[in-house]
Amino acid sequence: GKAFQAETRTVPIVAITADPVAMGLATSLARSGGNVTGVSIDPGLEILGKRIQLLRELVPSARRLGYLAREGSWEQPDGLYLREICARIGLTLVNTAISAPFDEAAYRNAFAAMAGGSVDSLCIAAQAENTVHQRLIAQLALQARLATVFDSADNVEAGGLMSYGIDF
């Protein structure tokens, strides 16, 4: 998008991009303010709050929410934002990190660590590792009787409980 935009300010450009505002392609998602338009595949951090809100409506008794994400995510913007949201609504967010290699054993170990009652609900990070293992995650969450919220309807089709995200 940026290379095309550098060439012309009059020819309409249609792009699919993560965050057109952060990339300088648009002034806002509502109004591009230029000749670049299209679809953003990054709904921003606020969508995490909406996922938690929906999960909380489904399971009002939930008190300890696991965050299934790759190691290091806890200190990234998504992890920090989730901790803030959970604190605001009275949920304890539990770091349920997955370490490389991201294989079946890593996921089974993560769910085994949660089995002791350390979590009663689960938010699945929108990360490639989790997408690859969506069926396994759904199966393990069902076995552990954990209400889960995912980022994509594909995860629900794979057996997950619920999702809230972009409809590609």
Side-chain angles (χ1 to χ4, degrees), residues 7-122:
E7 293 296 320
T8 180
R9 295 285 181 186
T10 58
V11 176
I13 301 169
V14 180
I16 296 176
T17 183
D19 187 346
V21 176
M23 295 174 71
L25 297 173
T27 54
S28 76
L29 290 178
R31 302 236 184 265
S32 69
N35 63 322
V36 178
T37 189
V39 178
S40 172
I41 58 171
D42 181 1
L45 292 175
E46 292 81 17
I47 199 166
L48 295 171
K50 186 65 177 178
R51 287 183 191 133
I52 302 312
Q53 175 192 352
L54 292 170
L55 184 63
R56 191 72 183 272
E57 287 177 21
L58 185 66
V59 187
S61 62
R63 296 290 173 256
R64 296 181 55 80
L65 175 71
Y67 181 49
L68 188 65
R70 79 174 74 92
E71 194 170 43
S73 297
W74 192 249
E75 297 301 328
Q76 297 299 317
D78 52 339
L80 296 170
Y81 183 81
L82 272 176
R83 290 179 4 212
E84 175 189 318
I85 292 295
C86 287
R88 196 176 323 146
I89 64 171
L91 273 176
T92 300
L93 188 65
V94 178
N95 186 5
T96 311
I98 301 290
S99 301
F102 304 107
D103 56 12
E104 183 174 338
Y107 284 92
R108 290 193 180 281
N109 289 339
F111 276 87
M114 290 184 270
S118 64
V119 302
D120 53 20
S121 53
L122 192 58

